[in-house]
């Protein structure tokens, strides 16, 4: 590869642009056939994929156990990837959908129609399944994509990408529709971030340092996920059984996901605060509580001011008492990251006040914050959760990977001066 | 003003953020009352505004006649600004609108609701009316805004901004909801472009060099307008009278607007090409035609390759013959800017092929490209036409100035492991 990163990216981007035009026009059945063939190829080549992953794992000594676990593929995980891919083939095709129609008094008819975004760049870290998930979601939404995985997963990504290429070929779609950056040279990330005019949007999937680099350097629009400093507010009118179930699930079902609760806010009027805290502590959660709560349980640790702003992604949570829903709203306004926040209350007026006043991408009433997920929203899959305010907010799936155009039909209308 | 540009912008941004939270929660009637009071204040202070504009004009010697015309206010223009402002008060409020509702099998109910974007930065050049238009559109969509006008219009902008401030005060809304950058120091533009976390989106309104600077430097998402290299394709099956009317209007109604036709594509099978070209030439349009057309009329000038890629914004157009709708699609693919393109044809199948295959923000069938305008779309007003593919595409009005959140209502659901 004698090309510089910028020249290599210019070549990949031009080929992706040409492929995007073909994929944008591909009928749903052709895209679905390609995705089904990809799932079949992943199943048929499971041994190759596992062997490639074993080579990555052999070189992964320096990675943390958590990173190694993210990198590791097992027969069950490969089957899970194939399953997830096959499910995307069955999702409704957003391309061509009429979003809105209207008419003007001069007789012009307007129709807003969903179209693909174009060329999507995905920059991701250790999880090899992103290669497959991102590739098929972009394709089903009519886009071409350029995938840049982490160097630690290079062999696994290549093996999975070969299966995607086989699926494209089987359906007669261009190989350039799903490209994997062929080198792990970090300068390729910079080349992608600077590829304005070639890449329509960059989606980073990974840790904070990756997302921060992408947001700082990108000359291409970015759809990104930032912090999930999420709250559950237990109102004085909450059903205690429900509050206990929602809080335990929100914090502990999985502690490392972006929808996990990080701070528990309890109404000063809630009668069962000690039992709620005991349930969390009994389940093994470290609770960092404000001073007034500490006498309630000897296992509580004192919170310091930073705790209100911390995304632990661990079995730790901050706990504060607030004065009713207005206190909860004020705390979330001061410390929240506008990702996902929940209220538990049997009082509808209180709940509606919370849902109206808190401006987060996802708001839940009497349900766990761990539902912050495209699959749980009924989107079938997701390419990530967007925490920005433009284009898409919350779980991003097929619809979030589209744009629109407006088709105006007339009968010879000209615009008056 | 002893503050550096970055500190001044940090202060303005923080105050705008606080105001945005209040404006986001303001009822429609309060926002509308503020806007009506602004229109009344503009009418009541017309003499002040005209006097301020006269001071700007007195210092405008170095500006081109076109720039001076953009800067100039007359009593009729001030009344036009007040009218446009008053009309925004009557537009439907997008905030709180339910975009979509659905339910999952586990009983969770999902509702996607429109919310304001937050703080919008507008960077604009000579036209003082943008101060009023942008201010009221941002306000009606529940946003705060920071306006940075061109130094050549500084006095006019300040006079108009005083009227907006009076309207905010009359309705009890915070003055910080519509802020005008108080200095014409160009470093303030840089401070706005770098104000990530304070400004949610920047909208540049002005010439190519302004937009290019904004896109190159912004660390904040940008909604921008690029080239409008627009085409009208006259199909072999076009009604000649309609083709003539649409082409003349698309090119000549106003030549300086972004929706103007820049290249005319004529089907080789169209029988009345000489008459169509003669009509354009008779109307005073310079026609730069491909070589094969030159014998048709002595007034035709030969096109050079750059003509296919030029946005003249003048009474000039490029003319090419193409082989049917596929030839038109290929030409637009090669040279278009994906802004606005039109087909004139009586053949529905041909028209549908064009509308499906050409990927421009706005596509018209049997209507003039000069309808590329928020008012003509029925949006009541527009803050500009977005040519990017993310968030909003085409005319951006109240709806384009919003984001959304998803409200999930449950009955104690927790997510299974």
């Amino acid at each position: 590869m004698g090309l510089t990163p910028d020249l290599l990216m210019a070549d990949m981007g031009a080929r992706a642009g040409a492929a995007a035009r073909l994929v944008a026009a591909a009928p749903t059945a052709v895209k679905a056939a390609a995705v089904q063939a990809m799932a079949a190829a992943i199943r048929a080549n499971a041994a190759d994929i596992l062997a490639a992953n074993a080579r990555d794992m052999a070189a992964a000594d320096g990675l943390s156990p958590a990173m190694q676990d993210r990198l590791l593929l097992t027969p069950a995980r490969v089957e899970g990837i194939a399953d997830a891919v096959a499910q995307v083939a069955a999702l409704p095709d957003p391309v061509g959908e009429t979003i809105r129609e209207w008419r003007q008094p001069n007789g012009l008819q307007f129709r807003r129609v969903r179209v693909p975004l174009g060329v999507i760049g995905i920059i991701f870290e250790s999880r090899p399944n992103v290669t497959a998930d991102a590739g098929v979601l972009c394709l089903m939404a009519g886009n071409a994509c350029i995938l840049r995985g982490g160097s630690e997963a290079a062999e696994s990504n290549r093996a999975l990408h070969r299966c995607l290429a086989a699926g494209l070929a089987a359906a007669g779609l261009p190989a350039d529709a799903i490209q994997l950056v062929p080198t792990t040279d970090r300068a390729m990330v910079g080349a992608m971030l600077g590829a304005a005019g070639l890449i329509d949007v960059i989606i980073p999937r990974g840790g904070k340092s990756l997302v921060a680099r992408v947001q700082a350097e990108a000359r291409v629009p970015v759809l990104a996920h930032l912090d999930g400093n999420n709250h559950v507010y237990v109102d004085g009118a909450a059903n205690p059984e429900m509050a206990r179930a929602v809080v335990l699930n929100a914090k502990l079902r999985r502690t490392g996901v972006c929808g996990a609760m990080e701070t528990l806010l309890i109404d000063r009027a809630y009668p069962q605060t000690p039992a709620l805290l005991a349930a969390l502590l009994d389940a093994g959660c470290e609770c960092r509580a404000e001073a007034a709560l500490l006498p309630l349980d000897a296992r509580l640790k004192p919170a310091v001011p930073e705790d209100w702003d911390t995304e632990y992604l661990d079995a730790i949570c901050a706990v504060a008492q607030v004065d009713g829903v207005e206190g909860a709203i004020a705390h979330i306004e001061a410390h929240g990251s506008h990702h996902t926040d929940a209220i538990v209350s049997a009082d509808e007026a209180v709940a509606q006040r919370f849902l109206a006043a808190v401006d987060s991408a996802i708001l839940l009433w009497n349900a766990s914050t761990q539902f912050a997920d495209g699959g749980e929203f009924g989107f079938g899959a997701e390419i990530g959760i967007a925490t920005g305010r433009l284009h898409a907010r919350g779980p991003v799936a097929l619809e979030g990977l589209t744009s629109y155009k407006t088709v105006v039909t007339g009968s010879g209308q000209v615009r008056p001066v």
Side-chain angles (χ1 to χ4, degrees), chain A residues 45-72:
Chain A
N45 293 283
D48 285 355
I49 296 166
L50 291 167
N53 186 249
R55 294 194 292 277
D56 284 333
M57 291 299 292
D61 283 349
L63 296 184
S64 70
M67 290 276 278
Q68 292 199 21
D69 182 60
R70 269 179 227 141
L71 177 56
L72 178 69

Side-chain angles (χ1 to χ4, degrees), chain A residues 52-117:
Chain A
N53 186 249
R55 294 194 292 277
D56 284 333
M57 291 299 292
D61 283 349
L63 296 184
S64 70
M67 290 276 278
Q68 292 199 21
D69 182 60
R70 269 179 227 141
L71 177 56
L72 178 69
L73 292 178
T74 63
R77 287 184 177 184
V78 172
E79 178 57 26
I81 292 172
D83 262 355
V85 166
Q87 280 172 29
V88 170
L91 294 176
D93 188 344
V95 178
E97 186 196 341
T98 296
I99 305 170
R100 208 173 129 189
E101 283 184 283
W102 71 99
R103 198 184 166 89
Q104 283 290 93
N106 60 6
L108 288 179
Q109 292 184 317
F110 293 76
R111 190 160 55 91
R112 187 177 278 183
V113 187
R114 247 184 241 300
V115 298
L117 274 177

Side-chain angles (χ1 to χ4, degrees), chain A residues 196-233:
Chain A
L198 295 168
I199 296 178
D200 292 288
V201 58
I202 297 266
I203 302 178
R205 286 196 55 170
K208 287 184 194 183
S209 64
L210 170 67
V211 176
R213 179 185 173 192
V214 167
Q215 294 201 312
E217 289 185 28
R219 303 260 37 94
V220 173
V222 175
L223 265 188
H225 172 278
L226 288 174
D227 295 351
N229 184 22
N230 309 317
H231 302 73
V232 175
Y233 164 61

Side-chain angles (χ1 to χ4, degrees), chain A residues 314-330:
Chain A
D314 202 345
I316 306 172
C317 86
V319 188
Q321 278 191 308
V322 293
D323 286 314
V325 67
E326 298 303 330
I329 292 166

Side-chain angles (χ1 to χ4, degrees), chain A residues 403-415:
Chain A
S403 183
Y404 60 80
K405 63 184 182 185
T406 305
V407 173
V408 187
T409 301
S411 50
Q413 282 87 344
V414 298
R415 189 170 170 190

Side-chain angles (χ1 to χ4, degrees), chain A residues 3 6 20 43 46 55 97 138 151 232 241 255 275 294 338 343 370 376 386 395:
Chain A
L3 293 174
D6 285 345
R43 291 196 174 103
R55 294 194 292 277
E97 186 196 341
C138 290
S151 54
V232 175
E241 267 316 294
T255 56
L294 295 176
H338 306 287
I343 178 172
Q370 299 246 351
E376 296 296 326

Side-chain angles (χ1 to χ4, degrees), chain A residues 11-60:
Chain A
D11 174 58
M12 293 182 72
R15 288 187 284 116
R21 288 188 284 277
L22 296 171
V23 171
T28 306
V30 171
K31 293 185 287 188
V35 173
Q36 289 289 11
M38 291 170 190
I42 291 168
R43 291 196 174 103
N45 293 283
D48 285 355
I49 296 166
L50 291 167
N53 186 249
R55 294 194 292 277
D56 284 333
M57 291 299 292

